[in-house]
Amino acid sequence: VRQAADDLSGGLTPDAEDSVRRAYRLMVEHLLPHERAEDRELYPVVSDLLGAPGATDAMSRGHAEIERQVRRLGRQLSERITPDQVDDLRATLYGLDAILTLHFAQEEENYFTLTG
């Protein structure tokens, strides 16, 4: 995702657009199904193990924000991208990258406490 945003720094070249569309497909085809499965299958088990019903609420909210940003990216890509939309598209990608980085760090930290 970050690489796709970086690729737009030179403008809307065909390679940059391909990079953005690849990142979007990766999110839709792999990441979102994984995050949805965690919400549905893993988080209830983790909450039970911790004995705290809301223990994974922050992680679920992270998933919701990731999904919201991916939908936004999808809307941006649903029509022909014009040069004046590049900054907004790049901002969406950098924002998504930041959310993913934070979310993955939180997951890692939370899972580490379960094994410790």
Side-chain angles (χ1 to χ4, degrees), residues 33-51:
H34 170 79
E35 301 296 292
R36 290 173 187 147
E38 280 186 344
D39 275 338
R40 191 176 55 252
E41 300 167 16
L42 178 63
Y43 288 177
V45 173
V46 171
S47 290
D48 287 347
L49 285 172
L50 295 175

Side-chain angles (χ1 to χ4, degrees), residues 82-101:
T82 61
D84 62 318
Q85 294 169 313
V86 170
D87 288 341
D88 190 42
L89 182 58
R90 188 171 41 234
T92 299
L93 289 162
Y94 281 133
L96 183 55
D97 177 68
I99 292 163
L100 290 169
T101 300

Side-chain angles (χ1 to χ4, degrees), residues 5 7 16 19 25 40 44 65 71 79 86 89 94-95 100 111 116:
D7 290 346
S19 181
R25 278 192 308 276
R40 191 176 55 252
E65 182 59 22
R71 278 194 316 269
E79 297 181 11
V86 170
L89 182 58
Y94 281 133
L100 290 169
Y111 298 150

